Amino acid sequence: MICFISARGLDFTPVDDSHLPPDTPIIVVLHGLTGGSYESYVRAILSPACVPLHQGGLGYRAVVVNFRGCAGVPVTSPQLYSAGHTDDLRQALFYISHRYPGAPLLGLSFSLGANVMTRYVAEEGELSRLKSACVLGCPWNLAANASKLLDTYIGRHIYSQGMGRNLVNLLKRHVGTFASDHDVAKAAAVTIALTKPTIDMFDEHFTRIGGGSSPPWPFASANDYYEYSSSHNVLNKVKIPLLAINAADDPVVQDVPMDAEGNGWIIMALTPCGGHLGWFEPDEGWGQIRRWIKRPVFEWLRATGDDFVRSPPHWRPLHEEGGFLKEVGIDRLGCKELDGSDIIVGTEGEAGLLAGL
């Protein structure tokens, strides 16, 4: 069992971290498509990572950045999230680095969240607030992978429809928020009326319009959104250590840029099997199934958190304006802590086929 203290969309663990030194590394996590901090693939890594060193863990802190609308996070503006919208992560990192100014921030992300995190570190380059990143099951070339997913019966009717249905269900829970915005409200109304929606149908009807801030949203088509949001075409801009792990038998991600555009900051790994965020193996001692991916991820986190020496980053300084925490030079963004927080204990998440991917 792993416990989180939730500050709106940010779930922190351990709940009581007063015993930890201020420079304890923090794992910053982005989950998959419609997931959250409750996902088993998230907890499989964070639960042991936040165990003290003398108990076999890393002794780190962690925070899961839940996408808006996911894991009980309210939607308070006419916008959801997408593979190409990085500002929610950017603002979360403002707050985390302000709250823990002496702590190195280590990125860990899954599937859709991996695409967002890769784009963030590429956009920021040497100014990235993440010291390193580990991305698992990243979709990379969104257009190519969407096309290949639809080429097979199981891809179209199981995976694409399963993920599309989960997105529509999430949209239904928050559709009332969009009533004041004509374009997004109209797109939402059309989208929730779809029958047997695939993920590309959801993107064509809603994400290209309501998946991010303007500009660059809205896009003329889902393909234009894919072209803008894909992470494979920005790898040359990454300037921090980045480990990317995909599986060759992943039914969702079938196009992986193994050359990493020749960027020496990036290590690309392709395992023979593992599916999409699986990487399971039997635990013979306990008669259970565990995720072996924890081992290389732990090695990476320990190496970049404890051993890798990075030149002092020249982050843009933070300042407060009108009660909002902002980064100098990015006036469009700001965040502030709301009164109250809740302790969340448990593992239950959203119901539905392929939830969290």
Side-chain angles (χ1 to χ4, degrees):
M1 182 79 65
I2 183 172
C3 303
F4 291 98
I5 181 168
S6 178
R8 184 114 179 252
L10 306 182
D11 290 343
F12 292 83
T13 192
V15 172
D16 181 10
D17 64 356
S18 57
H19 62 289
L20 295 174
D23 61 349
T24 299
I26 301 174
I27 308 169
V28 181
V29 179
L30 289 183
H31 57 78
L33 185 64
T34 52
S37 55
Y38 50 77
E39 292 292 347
S40 61
Y41 56 77
V42 171
R43 291 170 179 265
I45 295 176
L46 293 195
S47 184
C50 295
V51 167
L53 280 170
H54 67 272
Q55 296 179 17
L58 296 178
Y60 290 177
R61 294 184 177 96
V63 54
V64 180
V65 183
N66 296 296
F67 292 133
R68 55 179 75 195
C70 293
V73 177
V75 176
T76 57
S77 61
Q79 176 188 322
L80 278 183
Y81 58 92
S82 69
H85 182 68
T86 58
D87 278 348
D88 287 350
L89 172 60
R90 187 170 280 106
Q91 291 179 98
L93 291 172
F94 291 176
Y95 177 74
I96 298 166
S97 59
H98 176 72
R99 180 170 171 173
Y100 300 98
L105 307 183
L106 315 176
L108 173 64
S109 51
F110 305 86
S111 196
L112 182 93
N115 194 89
V116 174
M117 185 169 285
T118 301
R119 286 196 57 86
Y120 164 79
V121 298
E123 290 168 2
E124 293 295 313
E126 295 177 350
L127 297 178
S128 169
R129 290 185 178 271
L130 294 175
K131 183 183 180 185
S132 70
C134 178
V135 299
L136 305 177
C138 186
W140 304 111
N141 186 331
L142 299 179
N145 279 305
S147 177
K148 291 180 179 180
L149 189 63
L150 298 176
D151 282 345
T152 65
Y153 181 89
I154 192 171
R156 171 178 285 277
H157 295 283
I158 302 298
Y159 289 101
S160 189
Q161 282 191 15
M163 292 185 287
R165 183 163 55 249
N166 288 344
L167 283 165
V168 168
N169 289 338
L170 184 145
L171 182 59
K172 287 179 178 177
R173 291 195 293 273
H174 302 284
V175 70
T177 304
F178 308 123
S180 62
D181 185 278
H182 174 71
D183 291 336
V184 177
K186 183 177 179 180
V190 172
T191 304
I192 63 175
L194 294 172
T195 59
K196 296 183 178 180
T198 55
I199 189 171
D200 60 305
M201 290 170 63
F202 184 91
D203 291 336
E204 181 64 41
H205 287 85
F206 186 81
T207 308
R208 69 176 182 87
I209 298 171
S213 304
S214 179
W217 273 263
F219 292 97
S221 67
N223 194 67
D224 287 344
Y225 153 67
Y226 293 154
E227 290 296 328
Y228 169 82
S229 302
S230 293
S231 55
H232 75 290
N233 53 20
V234 295
L235 289 174
N236 63 325
K237 298 179 181 178
V238 173
K239 301 297 181 184
I240 63 169
L242 186 147
L243 171 65
I245 306 178
N246 283 86
D249 66 347
D250 189 333
V252 177
V253 180
Q254 302 174 47
D255 191 290
V256 180
M258 292 302 295
D259 63 350
E261 296 193 6
N263 189 340
W265 286 103
I266 299 173
I267 299 172
M268 299 290 297
L270 187 68
T271 65
C273 53
H276 191 64
L277 305 183
W279 293 293
F280 292 115
E281 68 178 354
D283 185 344
E284 296 179 0
W286 296 92
Q288 298 177 342
I289 300 296
R290 64 183 179 185
R291 297 175 189 266
W292 66 260
I293 198 67
K294 183 192 79 172
R295 294 198 297 274
V297 172
F298 263 40
E299 291 176 6
W300 177 261
L301 293 172
R302 184 181 290 111
T304 59
D306 297 335
D307 301 331
F308 172 61
V309 178
R310 179 186 182 185
S311 300
H314 299 290
W315 294 338
R316 304 180 191 92
L318 297 169
H319 68 107
E320 288 196 17
E321 181 180 323
F324 285 86
L325 183 66
K326 293 189 173 185
E327 195 175 59
V328 172
I330 307 183
D331 293 331
R332 73 181 188 280
L333 298 179
C335 63
K336 65 178 178 180
E337 186 173 359
L338 301 178
D339 293 334
S341 62
D342 300 309
I343 303 297
I344 299 174
V345 181
T347 59
E348 294 301 319
E350 306 292 341
L353 180 66
L354 308 180
L357 294 186

